[in-house]
Amino acid sequence: MTQLRRLAASWHPLSSVTYSTLFLLLLWTTSQRFITGQQDPNKCRALLTDGTWAPAVNNHHGAQTWEPNGCRMVEYSADAIHDCLGGRKFVLAGDSTIRQIFWAAARKLDPKLAAAELKEIVAADEKHRDLSFNAGGVRLEFIWDPWLNSTILRDTLEAFDAVPSSSREATLVKKGEESPALIILGSPGLWAARYGGDDYMTLFKDGIDTVSTYLSLASQGSSTRSSSLSALPNWNQGYGSAPNHILLTPVQVPSYSALSSKRTETITPERIDEMNDYLSHLPSNQTSHVVWAFNRMTEESGKSFEGDGLHVEDNIADRKIDIVLNSHCNNPATLHDRSFKGTCCVEEPSNYLFNLALVFLCAVMLYTPRVQSMPKFIRPELLVATRDILVTLAWCWICDGTLQFSKVERHYRQGAFVAICLFWLVGSSSVLHRIVGSAGEAPWSIAKDSKKEIANNNEEHKFLSRDQTDEMKGLMQGIILLYHFNYASQTLWVYKLVRVLISMYFFLSAYGHTLYLLKTGDYSFKRVAVVLFRTNALSALLPFMMGTSYSSYYFAPAVTFYYLVIYFMLRTLKESNYDPWPLAMKVLVTASFTSMCITTPGFLEMATDVLRTVFRMSFDVQELRFRLALDRYIVFVGVMVASLVHTANLTDAREVFTTKGSPRLFDSGRPRFWVICSGGLALFLFVTQSSLSSKQSYNAAHPYISWIPVLAVVTLRNLYTPAQKVFLAIPAALGRISLETYILQYHIWLGGDATARLTLGGFENASFPLFLIEKALITTLFIGMAALTHRATRTLTGTLSELGFLVFLVALWIGNLIYT
């Protein structure tokens, strides 16, 4: 009965709010998906029908970016096209507007070869003829047929087979011809309007009727569902299993004001609208193949057409071919590569690990009330921790692995970003708590470490107390989350500031670990196991559920790397740790050696090869080197500051650097320190924002200068005694779960591995109040899940033994062997 009371007590408001919000979101998204979402379950209609141009700030290459409503479209590279269409034929038929799309596809495959061949054709003045282009095994064919009535087109359509064979060999059908993987047909509307006279509508209908039966045939293949047994790609299906497609373009709405006088007489808005209206009233299995988004592109863009008013600019043609490729290639690409970001025209893969997690979750929920009849080592809090972790993993898959939530692109709006950051800073300052005794723990923290309690005693008025470091971590984490949510990384001045915040996090992490080791002298394997489990449990389990890699959540590997460096440095000749000068020499040697290992090719490669061989863990070595190199010195600054604090603490067990309540270090000239720190911080900001004009130049300088703002902020925070006695409660609470929020943001606050914004069904184009409600619900659940996961990992850590940690490592090893 006592155990049941403890179990009931664990279901406090945090769990209630979190699970209530989860149920509400799950109910809403499920209802949207199975009621309104049935009209477009895979977001193909969204891709082919509607969209908008992204704000110009999102442009990386000076070209506009087209964004369908409610899903993500990707820009296909030459390699991606080769993967999708290699060894296959891609046919385009129609007039000169379709020929533009043909050349756009050719430019993607091989821009130099396409430019050379186009130059030859222009020089020969042979525009109205069939064309072919071959690059990397992909065969492009253009059939000049503005009326859609040629013999060549008829034979091509006769050879079309909607469902390919399961092998990579091309499907052979009538006449021994190869079935094209993809066919784009241009509606004969412009030619009918220009040259059809009074019979333009009859001629247009004849052309459409010629191909309409094949559109119905293509619908048979699009209904074939491909599935996967897990989040991993199904190599037995992949690109070879993708159905073949036929798409029909609408009648291009021209720029009427730019048309020549002769064209204006026949190509009129009334004729164009009448023909497009006819297309819109085709049977649903035919009109679903019409790419209405082509006309939406030119409506939404102010500069769409060339001087003749008929042909679009090259960047518009490039986006048109992207729509076509996304409609055909996205689904097999998702099976081929879990990191693929496109969400238009994709089917939801099944995940047996998700199903297994649900089974375990049901078992935990079923047996929790019967815990008193189970073995004594199965405590109620362990079942609660298991439940919370399983729910978190399952929710990550629901949000980011399924089609339950829509994923849309993020946009950076500087005014909105600055405003929300200021709101966070002001709101964070609204609740002050006084530091009393040992460092406070969040109410969701259950497990306790007795040595840690000893290490944290007498925290009152302490320089960089635990509550202060949590406060700083929380303030920084709030800014970093908003930075990712608002896609502010593309703005250089924001990027520089956030890099400093991340460096401060590494500084505080190194400071905390060093101070603990110096105070307790606890270099036991159990302590290492506790830290490694606590830091890596979530990022080690998520790859199994999400099909990602451990290094995808780079923060955990980076923090783990530097913890091990600090641990082995302090454990070696540990008697010298309490003498500042010998410790400084150890730090100097270790920092130099670590920097060499990080920046010199070969060392990281060797270490990751060992991990890949033993644990089957994949690493992006270049990305890992970049991340580690940026903060390779600031961690050692944290070690030295912790050493100074510990040395001073030995002389006064209650107050660090204090005499009668004021810092002794600052007694002789507190205003002088204020001027030095404030001036150094201002000078740093001025120099970095005005002189380092690129990310590359700033990244090169950052490891050597990041200590300036970090030490300035830390000193200013502790310069006056009253400020040492209080801390900001809201950011301190966020700081205690900063690791969980950083990792979980990849899947349950953002989507697409932190590259997209999650939206609820029906909220893609919501008004601002509804947008705020949506974000409030998602954020509430995100913070709640992070807090529950934090509580769960602390609970498991509190019961973790050396043997238990080894069993966990063996389980990961076996899991990776099976999974990979």
Side-chain angles (χ1 to χ4, degrees), residues 648-797:
N649 195 35
L650 291 177
T651 63
D652 189 333
R654 177 175 173 79
E655 296 176 347
V656 179
F657 296 145
T658 62
T659 300
K660 296 181 180 179
S662 60
R664 179 184 301 139
L665 181 62
F666 306 133
D667 275 348
S668 60
R670 213 166 2 187
R672 184 185 310 163
F673 275 96
W674 190 93
V675 171
I676 291 174
C677 292
S678 300
L681 186 59
L683 182 62
F684 173 87
L685 293 175
F686 174 77
V687 171
T688 54
Q689 295 294 350
S690 60
S691 61
L692 300 174
S693 57
S694 67
K695 283 187 178 181
Q696 291 74 19
S697 60
Y698 178 78
N699 289 338
H702 178 81
Y704 306 98
I705 61 177
S706 60
W707 61 272
I708 298 173
V710 170
L711 291 184
V713 170
V714 167
T715 302
L716 290 172
R717 175 65 179 84
N718 290 270
L719 193 56
Y720 292 97
T721 303
Q724 289 184 326
K725 297 179 181 180
V726 296
F727 66 96
L728 303 178
I730 295 176
L734 180 61
R736 295 184 189 106
I737 59 172
S738 55
L739 176 65
E740 289 78 13
T741 55
Y742 193 92
I743 295 173
L744 291 179
Q745 68 166 322
Y746 280 73
H747 304 300
I748 65 176
W749 199 52
L750 297 170
D753 301 336
T755 63
R757 182 165 58 86
L758 290 177
T759 66
L760 305 177
F763 280 77
E764 290 85 354
N765 299 304
S767 61
F768 185 68
L770 289 178
F771 172 81
L772 290 181
I773 293 173
E774 177 195 51
K775 292 304 124 189
L777 290 172
I778 292 176
T779 302
T780 298
L781 185 55
F782 164 60
I783 297 298
M785 284 288 188
L788 290 178
T789 306
H790 172 84
R791 184 182 70 175
T793 52
R794 284 184 60 85
T795 299
L796 297 175
T797 298

Side-chain angles (χ1 to χ4, degrees), residues 35-149:
I35 298 175
T36 60
Q38 287 300 307
Q39 300 174 1
D40 189 22
N42 300 326
K43 300 295 183 182
C44 278
R45 182 177 298 179
L47 172 68
L48 299 178
T49 302
D50 202 2
T52 186
W53 291 105
V57 71
N58 265 10
N59 271 318
H60 301 291
H61 311 291
Q64 290 179 292
T65 301
W66 179 255
E67 296 180 0
N69 287 338
C71 63
R72 301 183 74 192
M73 188 178 85
V74 299
E75 183 176 342
Y76 270 79
S77 65
D79 289 340
I81 299 174
H82 292 156
D83 289 339
C84 179
L85 295 173
R88 307 298 305 280
K89 184 166 62 173
F90 177 10
V91 178
L92 302 94
D95 58 15
S96 56
T97 61
I98 303 301
R99 186 172 58 209
Q100 276 196 300
I101 302 176
F102 168 85
W103 286 117
R107 285 195 300 271
K108 281 184 172 291
L109 287 169
D110 191 330
K112 292 183 179 180
L113 180 60
E117 293 196 8
L118 179 59
K119 185 177 180 180
E120 292 179 4
I121 293 172
V122 172
D125 194 20
E126 297 178 349
K127 295 186 294 182
H128 295 171
R129 69 176 180 88
D130 297 343
L131 303 170
S132 64
F133 185 89
N134 292 273
V138 179
R139 290 169 289 166
L140 297 180
E141 293 185 3
F142 170 71
I143 301 172
W144 172 256
D145 187 5
W147 298 105
L148 297 185
N149 61 359

Side-chain angles (χ1 to χ4, degrees), residues 307-325:
D308 60 9
L310 285 178
H311 300 94
V312 296
E313 297 284 348
D314 283 347
N315 69 296
I316 305 290
D318 291 340
R319 301 293 77 77
K320 286 183 176 183
I321 194 61
D322 276 330
I323 289 180
V324 171
L325 292 171

Side-chain angles (χ1 to χ4, degrees), residues 382-644:
L382 292 180
L383 291 175
V384 172
T386 303
R387 176 202 70 193
D388 292 340
I389 289 179
L390 288 175
V391 169
T392 300
L393 294 175
W395 187 247
C396 286
W397 174 253
I398 290 173
C399 290
D400 203 18
T402 70
L403 304 179
Q404 195 81 8
F405 285 75
S406 298
K407 301 176 187 68
V408 297
E409 299 294 345
R410 301 167 296 164
H411 299 135
Y412 175 69
R413 296 178 175 87
Q414 183 160 288
F417 172 69
V418 172
I420 194 65
C421 287
L422 291 176
F423 179 80
W424 161 245
L425 294 175
V426 173
S428 299
S429 306
S430 61
V431 182
L432 286 175
H433 281 187
R434 187 179 183 84
I435 297 177
V436 287
S438 61
E441 284 294 341
W444 48 74
S445 299
I446 295 177
K448 294 182 179 180
D449 188 327
S450 58
K451 290 187 177 181
K452 195 170 185 178
E453 284 190 6
I454 296 172
N456 287 331
N457 282 337
N458 301 319
E459 292 271 332
E460 186 178 6
H461 308 171
K462 178 183 172 182
F463 182 89
L464 271 186
S465 66
R466 174 64 182 273
D467 286 314
Q468 282 187 29
T469 59
D470 286 339
E471 169 200 288
M472 291 182 178
K473 288 180 180 179
L475 284 171
M476 294 184 298
Q477 185 65 10
I479 298 296
I480 291 170
L481 290 174
L482 294 173
Y483 167 82
H484 289 154
F485 182 84
N486 288 276
Y487 199 22
S489 58
Q490 57 186 337
T491 304
L492 185 59
W493 72 269
V494 182
Y495 172 82
K496 294 175 182 177
L497 294 178
V498 170
R499 282 278 12 130
V500 172
L501 298 183
I502 295 174
S503 292
M504 182 173 286
Y505 196 103
F506 278 98
F507 167 86
L508 294 174
S509 177
Y511 171 87
H513 287 309
T514 302
L515 198 59
Y516 177 89
L517 291 173
L518 293 177
K519 280 188 173 185
T520 64
D522 182 6
Y523 296 95
S524 65
F525 177 71
K526 181 177 181 180
R527 174 61 187 175
V528 176
V530 164
V531 173
L532 294 184
F533 180 84
R534 167 77 183 85
T535 305
N536 295 281
L538 186 58
S539 55
L541 292 174
L542 272 173
F544 291 99
M545 180 63 71
M546 302 305 301
T548 54
S549 65
Y550 169 69
S551 61
S552 301
Y553 316 97
Y554 87 90
F555 195 74
V559 170
T560 299
F561 174 83
Y562 282 119
Y563 168 74
L564 293 175
V565 169
I566 292 170
Y567 172 83
F568 286 112
M569 177 187 70
L570 295 178
R571 181 163 186 171
T572 303
L573 302 175
K574 56 185 177 183
E575 297 79 9
S576 63
N577 293 340
Y578 304 98
D579 191 335
W581 289 111
L583 178 61
M585 292 303 298
K586 281 207 304 183
V587 168
L588 181 62
V589 172
T590 305
S592 301
F593 179 73
T594 303
S595 177
M596 180 190 68
C597 291
I598 292 173
T599 57
T600 304
F603 289 97
L604 284 181
E605 285 80 357
M606 181 173 62
T608 54
D609 284 344
V610 172
L611 291 174
R612 185 179 296 109
T613 302
V614 176
F615 288 101
R616 298 290 182 91
M617 300 171 67
S618 61
F619 287 89
D620 184 340
V621 178
Q622 295 305 318
E623 180 70 11
L624 184 62
R625 175 174 289 113
F626 169 73
R627 299 293 185 179
L628 293 176
L630 283 172
D631 299 297
R632 63 185 184 273
Y633 296 127
I634 193 65
V635 291
F636 297 102
V637 176
V639 171
M640 291 309 302
V641 172
S643 172
L644 292 174

